[in-house]
Amino acid sequence: MLSNHIQNGIETAKLAWSRLPTSEETQSSDPEPGSGVNGSKVESLDYEIIENYAYREEQARRGKLYIGYSVMVKWFFSLLIGIGTGLAAVFINLAVENFAGWKFAATFSIIQHSYFAGFIVYMLINLALVFSSVFIITQFAPAAAGSGIPEIKGYLNGVDTPGILLFRTLIGKIFGSIGSVGGGLALGKEGPLVHTGACIASLIGQGGSTKYHLRTRWLQIFQSDRDRRDLVTCGCAAGVAAAFRAPVGGVLFALEEVTSWWRSQLMWRVFFTSAVVAVVVRSAMGWCRSGNCGHFGSGGFIIWDISGGQEDYSFQELLPMAVIGIIGGLLGALFNQLTLYITYWRRKYLHKKGSRVKIIEACAVSVLTSLISFGLPLLRKCSQCPNLEENSGIECPRPPGMYGNYVNFYCRRDNEYNDLATIFFNTQDDAIRNLFSAKTFHEYSAQSLLTFLVMFYSLAVVTFGMAVPAGQFVPGIMIGSTYGRLVGMFVVNFYSKLNVEEGTYALLGAAAFLGGSMRMTVSLCVIMVEITNNLKLLPLIMLVLLISKAVGDAFNEGLYEEQAQLRGIPLLESRPKHYMRRLTAKEVCRNQKVVYFSRVVKVADIVSALRGSKHNGFPVIDYGRNGETLVIGLILRSHLLVLLQSKVDFQHSSLPSGSRDGSLTVRHNISEFVKPVSSKGLCIEDIHLAPDDLEMYIDLAPFLNPSPYVVPEDMSIAKVYNLFRQLGLRHIFVVPRPSRVIGLITRKDLLSEENEESTTVELQSTSVRTHHDKKTLRKQADWEQPLLDSLLIQ
């Protein structure tokens, strides 16, 4: 009977394996330059509002009541984002802690009889969890692989990568993180939580998911790229706040690391969202302390209270602390370079062979990780339990299956413990808590810490880049705290008279490695202070972060920047390159051929231009009374596609449309021109036009942006770069110098007069007045040369 069950199991496994896609059934996952995670072309976002005639007409119809309503809805959405992200973090942590608890409990129960059988069970549980994670990613949500922070950083920098904010990506991120982290891989759940918060914010902003029929119309109020990016910024901060229980650190992380455009109104909403997350997480922890969460216990929700550790530090300790910063910078830079090389090789050669190879790779790494984490402690000798204080709350050795220090693993006597098993046979949160712990002198030997550092560092390098959700915060803290504790052991032996705690040096090592790898400073400093609940160590954390970042910058860029470059995400850095100061705008776009339209254009000409070019913005020209060429605005490709698909604006005449009073006719709702979130939207191949339609005309005046950004041809590219970066632009016209100046605006001109009614609202929500100020002058500047000499940067 047993043989029949085994045979049936083998046949079932073969059937399941045969259903996996082969390399011929899958597309290549190696992105071309400028392509996204799935090989899809990325697209820039319009952070500036397209203030065309249709938009102004709609804004003019909206009164103060609508403006107040929109502001209230933004705050309500921030509340929903905080609650949703907090609940997602609670669910992920509970699942990870319970899976890990069941795994350790089963393993320790079996090894009482047979260590080999315990290893088999331990390996199979890890393998099942990792397989579930990689299967979800490869078959359901490929955009959920990795940490997601480079893609979200690109989105908030103005680059839309298709698929990163979809509902299935959210589901894949949540359940994939549970499998990969619960399966014991050398990765964390903090980076995926940032991506999870961004997905929740995006789905709330668009009113739900259209594909899965989970959409509510009353939530679809904010449909511009600016509003969506603001909500995603709130989601990123909420993810960090939920991962580390660090609300202030979440706000600073969004400000320093991911977003490239910031304003005071956004800061208030981000801060409110992070505060809501902190309340949700703390409430969940209070509920779990009463024993309602299974194996959760004291694990999960990173908070390593070391307030009972080292109270002060001396001048002699500054040198070894500086050494910790230098080592962190070197190890972090090396980590970035190794992960870059391995990820490049993996994407170029390995992952091209299809999803089956990705699954084999993840399962092989899982088996290797299980073998190392179970086998290495068997090679270590057990140590005698120290004499612990009665009120320390630490028990040696700990009971099997419980969290804490001093694990009894492969020890002959009951009062012994295995220091290497104390690190391996814990969740990462608890292992870090052990490394940070105070008053645990000589708990770890230098050989064990060095062994763990080499093996875990290697596993983290190999694991990062697989087709599973993977964060690098917690693995970075594990690596840094290990070598930091090594330095602390040396300091304890060298400065025997000082009150030195090894756990304090472990904390500084964690901060140094993260600073050397991710190149974060302010936000990381605040996060480390919040999760350790020790403000006295703030100056030391600042010191090691500055040193490690300076050392790391001497070798390469940060982890997220390099990964974004590898994935083909064109990020604009905070500062232009030095060579840009020697180039002008005309020199950069010298070889471009400008594709432009007349105000009234033939449908066939639009179709031909869209099929013959990949531009997303086109200049629109008109002719003055004297026959001179005038630039009257910019029309977007997405708007042209909507006009071609609807056909309601087609006309037989080649003359401009409009009434006698000069007003234009708008037959569209402004929401029709909104691009679907994180997707391609319409393309010219989806639109079918009859031969009679191609002979019609369209008046583009109501739909073009009449006030595009314009720079003179001799402006330096460094200045153009700063305009793009600071204003969040997508297109800039490069034109000859104008013939004359019609006015000069100063700061005083931008201030409201005292007797003039004004409403303080956000810039995007500013309504257009229906009356015109008598002092307003309507003039247009004439250009020295025709539009054919003008160039377009896009």
Side-chain angles (χ1 to χ4, degrees), residues 99 121 175 254 303 346 367 397 400 484 552 559 572 661 714 716:
F99 277 125
V121 171
F175 289 96
I303 180 100
R346 178 182 278 129
V367 173
L559 177 66
L572 290 181
D661 59 357
D714 56 351
S716 70

Side-chain angles (χ1 to χ4, degrees), residues 151-189:
E151 291 81 6
I152 298 302
K153 185 173 182 178
Y155 182 82
L156 296 179
N157 193 261
V159 181
D160 185 15
T161 305
I164 62 171
L165 296 174
L166 299 181
F167 178 72
R168 62 179 179 181
T169 303
L170 171 64
I171 299 300
K173 209 72 177 183
I174 292 176
F175 289 96
S177 299
I178 294 173
S180 60
V181 179
L185 294 179
L187 45 82
K189 56 184 177 295

Side-chain angles (χ1 to χ4, degrees), residues 288-360:
C288 287
R289 286 194 184 97
S290 58
N292 299 317
C293 301
H295 284 272
F296 185 82
S298 61
F301 288 118
I302 302 172
I303 180 100
W304 305 298
D305 192 344
I306 61 171
S307 57
Q310 187 172 337
E311 295 291 338
D312 201 359
Y313 51 91
S314 61
F315 179 79
Q316 294 95 319
E317 295 181 70
L318 294 182
L319 178 59
M321 291 175 181
V323 172
I324 287 180
I326 295 174
I327 297 175
L330 294 174
L331 289 179
L334 179 62
F335 182 86
N336 293 356
Q337 205 64 34
L338 291 177
T339 53
L340 181 65
Y341 288 151
I342 293 179
T343 305
Y344 175 79
W345 174 83
R346 178 182 278 129
R347 295 167 69 87
K348 187 174 181 61
Y349 300 104
L350 192 62
H351 287 180
K352 274 188 173 182
K353 299 179 181 180
S355 299
R356 183 179 295 181
V357 175
K358 297 179 182 179
I359 295 175
I360 294 176

Side-chain angles (χ1 to χ4, degrees), residues 277-290:
V277 172
V279 173
V280 172
V281 170
R282 184 170 292 275
S283 301
M285 290 188 66
W287 183 68
C288 287
R289 286 194 184 97
S290 58

